[in-house]
Amino acid sequence: MKFFEEGIYISPTSRCNAGCRHCVAQDDQPELSDVKRSEIMDWIDQIAEIGIKSIRFVGGEPFLVLPDLQVYVKRIKELGMESTVVTNASWARTKVNAHKVLETLPDLNNLIISSDRFHLEYIAADTVKNAIEAGLEHKKNVIMNVTYIEKSDIEHMNSLFGAYTDRIFIQVVKTMPFDGPEAEKIVKHCYFQKPTRTPKFCWIGNYFINTNGDVYACCQASQGLETNYLTLGNVNKERLKNLVNKIQKEDVFQFIGNNGPRGIVEVFKESPYRDELMSIEFASGCEVCQQLLNNPEKYDYFVKHI
């Protein structure tokens, strides 16, 4: 199979000290609290049991639960796995504080800093630079995730952080659609007019566990609440090993793993929905999957025709 199975994402908190306009996390259910430390420690052991070697903490903002993070990354190292934290870098408003925070995480391998036009409305560029410098000094592998709408966004970020390109990896990712007038600027494609332009690569198999213990075959599947496509179950109710074994045997998982979003387009291009879909523009392959498979009627058609 061609799906990517390198790591697993865990969200230890749904809280965030920013409110980025493009972020799906801002719609998190407010009643969800931080995950108990004992639960995540159990999840880490279950992840080790199935042989996954990389655990990435996302949010919310994971550094809001720093004392817990310290325990988690230590345990991950003890189990011979690699740890990553995805952060907005708000904890690095001063150079001194940036170093103090990372000194408490000697076992952390990778630091992924999310910064773009949306994050910069809350977290200043100098704060991000403090986090980068501290990360490098503390021997972390530093990556910057830049979400963009249009080319000018990338150019602006390069003007701010281009000096670091020889020391960190700057990864640019087109934003998913969000509410607001700027969303209209997102470059989209009519994939059903040119199916070969649809991405074949898929992140399925990079599992995601939210604050409630619900497990998904990828991060974007966590938005699929209408049909629960690519939903595995709950790790607090059933062992992760069993959940992963079951989903990997299911037709939908197998099909997307082998064919990616392009395969979904191929299934629907001769369907009764063809005329409707020919004019729809998609920002990415992930949006193809989300829009079609989170629609109960279309999902039922898809399951019957793969």
Side-chain angles (χ1 to χ4, degrees):
M1 297 180 69
K2 297 177 182 177
F3 60 81
F4 193 75
E5 188 177 358
E6 185 183 55
I8 191 164
Y9 295 86
I10 293 177
S11 182
T13 180
S14 59
R15 295 184 292 125
C16 188
N17 48 9
C20 302
R21 292 176 288 119
H22 72 312
C23 185
V24 296
Q26 64 184 258
D27 294 325
D28 276 355
Q29 300 175 47
E31 67 271 15
L32 293 180
S33 59
D34 297 345
V35 185
K36 293 179 181 178
R37 182 183 294 184
S38 59
E39 289 185 352
I40 291 189
M41 292 296 281
D42 177 54
W43 299 354
I44 291 171
D45 288 343
Q46 291 192 51
I47 292 166
E49 180 183 6
I50 62 176
I52 287 178
K53 296 298 183 182
S54 177
I55 297 179
R56 304 160 191 153
F57 293 98
V58 295
E61 172 50 49
F63 275 84
L64 293 179
V65 292
L66 179 58
D68 293 331
L69 273 183
Q70 295 161 2
V71 176
Y72 302 152
V73 298
K74 181 180 180 181
R75 179 58 177 161
I76 289 168
K77 182 177 180 180
E78 290 172 348
L79 292 170
M81 296 187 289
E82 186 175 87
S83 61
T84 301
V85 177
V86 181
T87 176
N88 61 28
S90 56
W91 43 272
R93 286 192 170 89
T94 68
K95 294 180 180 179
V96 171
N97 200 60
H99 285 284
K100 282 184 176 179
V101 169
L102 291 186
E103 283 171 358
T104 70
L105 293 166
D107 300 316
L108 178 66
N109 300 105
N110 307 302
L111 186 68
I112 299 181
I113 302 170
S114 294
S115 186
D116 41 53
R117 63 183 294 186
F118 306 104
H119 284 86
L120 288 173
E121 293 175 359
Y122 294 88
I123 316 296
D126 285 345
T127 297
V128 175
K129 291 176 182 178
N130 290 341
I132 293 172
E133 295 286 354
L136 293 172
E137 188 167 324
H138 288 271
K139 309 300 182 185
K140 311 303 180 189
N141 180 35
V142 181
I143 298 168
M144 177 180 282
N145 270 355
V146 176
T147 302
Y148 72 96
I149 293 180
E150 50 193 345
K151 187 178 179 180
S152 60
D153 297 338
I154 301 173
E155 293 170 346
H156 178 61
M157 294 303 289
N158 283 334
S159 72
L160 293 174
F161 302 104
Y164 293 103
T165 53
D166 62 336
R167 293 188 287 165
I168 70 173
F169 177 65
I170 299 179
Q171 175 175 269
V172 295
V173 182
K174 188 190 299 181
T175 185
M176 288 284 282
F178 61 96
D179 294 331
E182 287 182 301
E184 297 177 1
K185 299 177 183 177
I186 301 173
V187 176
K188 298 184 178 182
H189 305 281
C190 290
Y191 286 133
F192 280 85
Q193 293 181 16
K194 294 183 178 180
T196 56
R197 294 190 66 183
T198 313
K200 219 177 169 187
F201 177 81
C202 183
W203 289 94
I204 190 172
N206 262 295
Y207 303 104
F208 171 64
I209 308 177
N210 71 8
T211 52
N212 204 36
D214 298 319
V215 187
Y216 304 90
C218 66
C219 288
Q220 286 300 328
S222 65
Q223 304 302 308
L225 301 181
E226 291 296 317
T227 64
N228 288 318
Y229 74 97
L230 297 179
T231 300
L232 283 68
N234 189 286
V235 73
N236 294 324
K237 298 177 181 178
E238 188 173 356
R239 298 292 292 181
L240 183 62
K241 182 178 181 179
N242 295 336
L243 296 175
V244 169
N245 284 340
K246 283 192 294 185
I247 193 76
Q248 288 187 351
K249 294 175 183 176
E250 291 187 2
D251 291 340
V252 172
F253 186 92
Q254 293 273 342
F255 182 89
I256 298 175
N258 281 318
N259 302 283
R262 188 183 301 177
I264 298 174
V265 170
E266 293 290 343
V267 169
F268 279 98
K269 73 176 185 179
E270 302 301 333
S271 73
Y273 311 103
R274 179 181 183 278
D275 292 343
E276 165 198 342
L277 295 172
M278 287 294 287
S279 61
I280 295 180
E281 295 183 315
F282 300 91
S284 67
C286 288
E287 192 187 7
V288 170
C289 190
Q290 188 182 88
Q291 277 207 30
L292 298 185
L293 301 193
N294 196 38
N295 178 297
E297 184 179 298
K298 291 183 176 68
Y299 183 65
D300 184 60
Y301 175 89
F302 178 74
V303 171
K304 291 177 179 177
H305 288 81
I306 59 173

